[in-house]
Amino acid sequence: MTTKKQRRGYPFQPGSDQALSGRGWALVMAGCLSGFLALATVGAGVPGAAGHWLSVLLFLGLPLAGLRLAAGRGWSLMFPPPTGRDVWIGLAFAPAVLVASAIVALIVVRAGLTTANPVVGLLAGLKGWDLAVFVASTLPQLLGEELITLLPFLGLLALFHGRFRMGPKSAVICAWLISALLFGALHLSTYGWNPAQAVGVIGVARLVLTLPFLITRSVWSSTVTHVTHDWLLFGSMLLFGAA
């Protein structure tokens, strides 16, 4: 006789053996903030590929360090063993992100509120090995982007459900919306402090990007969506640039 496989829960939540204290969540948030600041500043201070890779690795490593200090060995709960379901759900949501962000982008374009994406110019100037190295560096960077979104999501979820006693569905929705808003806000400097594009387009894309995590409770699933989405965009940029 077989039993139904138990569904994963959200890690580090109140009432669980791996729940984080307020101090623990402060360490996690400090790691996320320091990782973002490293990505924004280290590359400018250290020129060339070395600076780029150093900033990307710090962007990923510092949130992980904060989580390790806060959760001890329990930090690995953020990375459950991936399954085929995690992968196919991640792949299935990539087109949804493209469609959602394209719809909002079209509205922003029609309103005359667009700011050029700097990645377009960067890709246009890369060839051969340099292009391959840049694309490879997006793997740790996109995993870092998942961490600096999903760790605050989990922290907000713990706050709303555990401390404020909100219902589980309401807590998830509030944490989902706020974490997407924060993710969009982190892109303000990238898009010339244009809130319509950073918070509007990127924020909406982030809402869809988080859905695979909400379904599977696996960071690997949302990372598959994020990588697939961005690589499809890169490929489109290169294709249209060549044309």
Short mmCIF file of all heavy atoms in Angstrom, two decimals, residues 70-109:
data_model
loop_
_atom_site.label_atom_id
_atom_site.label_comp_id
_atom_site.label_asym_id
_atom_site.label_seq_id
_atom_site.Cartn_x
_atom_site.Cartn_y
_atom_site.Cartn_z
N ALA A 70 21.74 32.45 10.64
CA ALA A 70 20.44 32.48 11.30
C ALA A 70 19.88 31.08 11.56
O ALA A 70 19.31 30.81 12.62
CB ALA A 70 19.45 33.27 10.46
N ALA A 71 20.04 30.18 10.57
CA ALA A 71 19.36 28.88 10.63
C ALA A 71 20.29 27.72 10.95
O ALA A 71 19.81 26.60 11.13
CB ALA A 71 18.65 28.61 9.31
N GLY A 72 21.60 27.97 11.00
CA GLY A 72 22.52 26.86 11.22
C GLY A 72 22.44 25.85 10.11
O GLY A 72 22.33 26.21 8.93
N ARG A 73 22.44 24.58 10.47
CA ARG A 73 22.36 23.53 9.44
C ARG A 73 21.03 23.53 8.72
O ARG A 73 20.90 22.95 7.63
CB ARG A 73 22.62 22.18 10.07
CG ARG A 73 24.05 22.00 10.61
CD ARG A 73 24.25 20.62 11.19
NE ARG A 73 25.61 20.43 11.68
CZ ARG A 73 26.05 19.32 12.27
NH1 ARG A 73 25.21 18.29 12.42
NH2 ARG A 73 27.29 19.24 12.69
N GLY A 74 20.04 24.17 9.31
CA GLY A 74 18.73 24.22 8.68
C GLY A 74 18.67 25.10 7.45
O GLY A 74 17.64 25.14 6.77
N TRP A 75 19.78 25.79 7.13
CA TRP A 75 19.78 26.65 5.95
C TRP A 75 19.45 25.87 4.68
O TRP A 75 18.84 26.41 3.74
CB TRP A 75 21.14 27.32 5.78
CG TRP A 75 22.22 26.39 5.32
CD1 TRP A 75 23.00 25.59 6.09
CD2 TRP A 75 22.61 26.14 3.97
NE1 TRP A 75 23.87 24.85 5.31
CE2 TRP A 75 23.64 25.18 4.00
CE3 TRP A 75 22.19 26.65 2.73
CZ2 TRP A 75 24.26 24.71 2.84
CZ3 TRP A 75 22.80 26.17 1.58
CH2 TRP A 75 23.83 25.22 1.64
N SER A 76 19.78 24.58 4.67
CA SER A 76 19.57 23.78 3.46
C SER A 76 18.10 23.53 3.18
O SER A 76 17.76 23.05 2.08
CB SER A 76 20.30 22.44 3.60
OG SER A 76 19.81 21.70 4.71
N LEU A 77 17.21 23.84 4.12
CA LEU A 77 15.78 23.70 3.86
C LEU A 77 15.33 24.60 2.71
O LEU A 77 14.30 24.35 2.08
CB LEU A 77 14.97 24.04 5.11
CG LEU A 77 15.07 23.05 6.27
CD1 LEU A 77 14.38 23.63 7.50
CD2 LEU A 77 14.47 21.71 5.89
N MET A 78 16.11 25.63 2.46
CA MET A 78 15.79 26.52 1.34
C MET A 78 16.03 25.83 0.00
O MET A 78 15.54 26.29 -1.03
CB MET A 78 16.65 27.79 1.45
CG MET A 78 16.17 28.95 0.62
SD MET A 78 14.57 29.56 1.20
CE MET A 78 14.11 30.61 -0.17
N PHE A 79 16.77 24.72 0.03
CA PHE A 79 17.15 24.04 -1.20
C PHE A 79 16.79 22.56 -1.13
O PHE A 79 17.66 21.70 -1.03
CB PHE A 79 18.65 24.20 -1.44
CG PHE A 79 19.10 25.63 -1.51
CD1 PHE A 79 19.58 26.28 -0.38
CD2 PHE A 79 19.02 26.35 -2.69
CE1 PHE A 79 19.99 27.60 -0.43
CE2 PHE A 79 19.42 27.67 -2.75
CZ PHE A 79 19.90 28.30 -1.61
N PRO A 80 15.50 22.24 -1.17
CA PRO A 80 15.11 20.83 -1.15
C PRO A 80 15.61 20.12 -2.40
O PRO A 80 15.81 20.75 -3.44
CB PRO A 80 13.57 20.89 -1.11
CG PRO A 80 13.24 22.18 -1.78
CD PRO A 80 14.34 23.13 -1.37
N PRO A 81 15.82 18.81 -2.31
CA PRO A 81 16.25 18.07 -3.51
C PRO A 81 15.27 18.30 -4.64
O PRO A 81 14.06 18.11 -4.48
CB PRO A 81 16.24 16.61 -3.05
CG PRO A 81 16.42 16.69 -1.56
CD PRO A 81 15.72 17.93 -1.12
N PRO A 82 15.75 18.75 -5.81
CA PRO A 82 14.82 19.06 -6.91
C PRO A 82 14.18 17.80 -7.48
O PRO A 82 14.79 16.73 -7.50
CB PRO A 82 15.72 19.75 -7.94
CG PRO A 82 17.10 19.25 -7.63
CD PRO A 82 17.15 19.04 -6.15
N THR A 83 12.97 17.95 -7.93
CA THR A 83 12.24 16.85 -8.55
C THR A 83 11.86 17.23 -9.98
O THR A 83 11.97 18.39 -10.38
CB THR A 83 10.95 16.54 -7.77
OG1 THR A 83 10.06 17.67 -7.88
CG2 THR A 83 11.24 16.28 -6.30
N GLY A 84 11.42 16.23 -10.74
CA GLY A 84 10.96 16.51 -12.08
C GLY A 84 9.79 17.48 -12.09
O GLY A 84 9.66 18.33 -12.99
N ARG A 85 8.93 17.38 -11.09
CA ARG A 85 7.78 18.30 -10.98
C ARG A 85 8.26 19.74 -10.80
O ARG A 85 7.70 20.66 -11.40
CB ARG A 85 6.90 17.88 -9.81
CG ARG A 85 5.68 18.79 -9.59
CD ARG A 85 4.79 18.20 -8.49
NE ARG A 85 3.63 19.05 -8.24
CZ ARG A 85 3.58 20.01 -7.32
NH1 ARG A 85 4.66 20.24 -6.55
NH2 ARG A 85 2.49 20.73 -7.15
N ASP A 86 9.30 19.94 -9.99
CA ASP A 86 9.85 21.28 -9.80
C ASP A 86 10.30 21.87 -11.14
O ASP A 86 10.07 23.04 -11.44
CB ASP A 86 11.04 21.25 -8.84
CG ASP A 86 10.66 20.81 -7.44
OD1 ASP A 86 9.49 20.99 -7.06
OD2 ASP A 86 11.54 20.28 -6.74
N VAL A 87 10.94 21.03 -11.94
CA VAL A 87 11.50 21.50 -13.21
C VAL A 87 10.40 21.82 -14.21
O VAL A 87 10.40 22.89 -14.83
CB VAL A 87 12.48 20.46 -13.80
CG1 VAL A 87 12.94 20.88 -15.19
CG2 VAL A 87 13.68 20.28 -12.87
N TRP A 88 9.43 20.92 -14.38
CA TRP A 88 8.43 21.17 -15.42
C TRP A 88 7.51 22.32 -15.05
O TRP A 88 7.06 23.07 -15.92
CB TRP A 88 7.68 19.91 -15.81
CG TRP A 88 6.65 19.34 -14.87
CD1 TRP A 88 6.78 18.22 -14.10
CD2 TRP A 88 5.31 19.82 -14.65
NE1 TRP A 88 5.63 17.98 -13.39
CE2 TRP A 88 4.71 18.95 -13.71
CE3 TRP A 88 4.58 20.89 -15.14
CZ2 TRP A 88 3.41 19.12 -13.25
CZ3 TRP A 88 3.26 21.07 -14.68
CH2 TRP A 88 2.69 20.20 -13.75
N ILE A 89 7.23 22.49 -13.75
CA ILE A 89 6.44 23.65 -13.34
C ILE A 89 7.24 24.93 -13.59
O ILE A 89 6.69 25.94 -14.07
CB ILE A 89 6.02 23.54 -11.87
CG1 ILE A 89 4.94 22.47 -11.72
CG2 ILE A 89 5.52 24.88 -11.33
CD1 ILE A 89 4.49 22.22 -10.30
N GLY A 90 8.53 24.89 -13.31
CA GLY A 90 9.38 26.06 -13.59
C GLY A 90 9.39 26.40 -15.07
O GLY A 90 9.28 27.58 -15.45
N LEU A 91 9.53 25.40 -15.92
CA LEU A 91 9.52 25.64 -17.37
C LEU A 91 8.16 26.14 -17.86
O LEU A 91 8.09 27.01 -18.72
CB LEU A 91 9.90 24.35 -18.11
CG LEU A 91 11.34 23.86 -17.95
CD1 LEU A 91 11.50 22.48 -18.58
CD2 LEU A 91 12.31 24.84 -18.58
N ALA A 92 7.10 25.61 -17.28
CA ALA A 92 5.76 25.98 -17.72
C ALA A 92 5.44 27.44 -17.45
O ALA A 92 4.67 28.06 -18.19
CB ALA A 92 4.72 25.09 -17.04
N PHE A 93 6.03 28.01 -16.41
CA PHE A 93 5.71 29.38 -16.05
C PHE A 93 6.56 30.41 -16.80
O PHE A 93 6.24 31.60 -16.76
CB PHE A 93 5.87 29.59 -14.54
CG PHE A 93 4.61 29.32 -13.77
CD1 PHE A 93 4.36 28.06 -13.24
CD2 PHE A 93 3.67 30.32 -13.59
CE1 PHE A 93 3.18 27.81 -12.55
CE2 PHE A 93 2.49 30.07 -12.90
CZ PHE A 93 2.25 28.81 -12.37
N ALA A 94 7.62 29.99 -17.47
CA ALA A 94 8.46 30.95 -18.19
C ALA A 94 7.67 31.72 -19.26
O ALA A 94 7.78 32.95 -19.34
CB ALA A 94 9.66 30.24 -18.81
N PRO A 95 6.86 31.06 -20.09
CA PRO A 95 6.06 31.83 -21.06
C PRO A 95 5.08 32.78 -20.38
O PRO A 95 4.79 33.87 -20.90
CB PRO A 95 5.33 30.75 -21.86
CG PRO A 95 6.11 29.51 -21.67
CD PRO A 95 6.69 29.61 -20.29
N ALA A 96 4.54 32.38 -19.23
CA ALA A 96 3.60 33.24 -18.52
C ALA A 96 4.27 34.54 -18.06
O ALA A 96 3.65 35.61 -18.10
CB ALA A 96 3.01 32.50 -17.32
N VAL A 97 5.53 34.45 -17.64
CA VAL A 97 6.26 35.65 -17.24
C VAL A 97 6.45 36.57 -18.44
O VAL A 97 6.26 37.80 -18.35
CB VAL A 97 7.63 35.29 -16.63
CG1 VAL A 97 8.38 36.56 -16.22
CG2 VAL A 97 7.47 34.38 -15.43
N LEU A 98 6.81 35.98 -19.59
CA LEU A 98 7.00 36.78 -20.80
C LEU A 98 5.72 37.50 -21.20
O LEU A 98 5.74 38.69 -21.53
CB LEU A 98 7.47 35.87 -21.94
CG LEU A 98 8.92 35.38 -21.89
CD1 LEU A 98 9.14 34.28 -22.92
CD2 LEU A 98 9.89 36.53 -22.12
N VAL A 99 4.61 36.79 -21.15
CA VAL A 99 3.33 37.38 -21.56
C VAL A 99 2.92 38.49 -20.60
O VAL A 99 2.53 39.59 -21.01
CB VAL A 99 2.24 36.30 -21.65
CG1 VAL A 99 0.87 36.94 -21.85
CG2 VAL A 99 2.54 35.32 -22.77
N ALA A 100 3.01 38.22 -19.29
CA ALA A 100 2.59 39.20 -18.29
C ALA A 100 3.42 40.47 -18.37
O ALA A 100 2.89 41.58 -18.37
CB ALA A 100 2.67 38.59 -16.90
N SER A 101 4.75 40.30 -18.45
CA SER A 101 5.61 41.47 -18.50
C SER A 101 5.45 42.22 -19.83
O SER A 101 5.53 43.45 -19.87
CB SER A 101 7.07 41.07 -18.28
OG SER A 101 7.49 40.10 -19.22
N ALA A 102 5.19 41.49 -20.93
CA ALA A 102 4.99 42.13 -22.23
C ALA A 102 3.73 42.98 -22.24
O ALA A 102 3.71 44.08 -22.80
CB ALA A 102 4.92 41.08 -23.33
N ILE A 103 2.67 42.49 -21.60
CA ILE A 103 1.42 43.26 -21.56
C ILE A 103 1.63 44.57 -20.80
O ILE A 103 1.22 45.64 -21.25
CB ILE A 103 0.30 42.42 -20.91
CG1 ILE A 103 -0.09 41.26 -21.83
CG2 ILE A 103 -0.91 43.29 -20.60
CD1 ILE A 103 -1.05 40.27 -21.19
N VAL A 104 2.28 44.47 -19.63
CA VAL A 104 2.50 45.69 -18.83
C VAL A 104 3.48 46.61 -19.56
O VAL A 104 3.32 47.83 -19.56
CB VAL A 104 3.03 45.32 -17.43
CG1 VAL A 104 3.26 46.58 -16.61
CG2 VAL A 104 2.04 44.42 -16.71
N ALA A 105 4.51 46.02 -20.19
CA ALA A 105 5.48 46.84 -20.93
C ALA A 105 4.80 47.59 -22.07
O ALA A 105 5.14 48.75 -22.34
CB ALA A 105 6.59 45.95 -21.47
N LEU A 106 3.84 46.95 -22.74
CA LEU A 106 3.13 47.62 -23.83
C LEU A 106 2.35 48.82 -23.31
O LEU A 106 2.33 49.89 -23.94
CB LEU A 106 2.18 46.63 -24.51
CG LEU A 106 1.36 47.17 -25.69
CD1 LEU A 106 2.29 47.66 -26.80
CD2 LEU A 106 0.42 46.09 -26.22
N ILE A 107 1.74 48.65 -22.15
CA ILE A 107 1.01 49.77 -21.54
C ILE A 107 1.97 50.90 -21.20
O ILE A 107 1.68 52.09 -21.45
CB ILE A 107 0.27 49.29 -20.27
CG1 ILE A 107 -0.80 48.27 -20.64
CG2 ILE A 107 -0.35 50.47 -19.53
CD1 ILE A 107 -1.44 47.59 -19.44
N VAL A 108 3.14 50.55 -20.65
CA VAL A 108 4.13 51.57 -20.28
C VAL A 108 4.67 52.28 -21.52
O VAL A 108 4.85 53.50 -21.53
CB VAL A 108 5.28 50.91 -19.48
CG1 VAL A 108 6.43 51.89 -19.27
CG2 VAL A 108 4.77 50.40 -18.14
N VAL A 109 4.89 51.51 -22.59
CA VAL A 109 5.38 52.11 -23.84
C VAL A 109 4.35 53.09 -24.40
O VAL A 109 4.68 54.20 -24.82
CB VAL A 109 5.69 51.01 -24.88
CG1 VAL A 109 5.91 51.62 -26.25
CG2 VAL A 109 6.94 50.23 -24.46
#
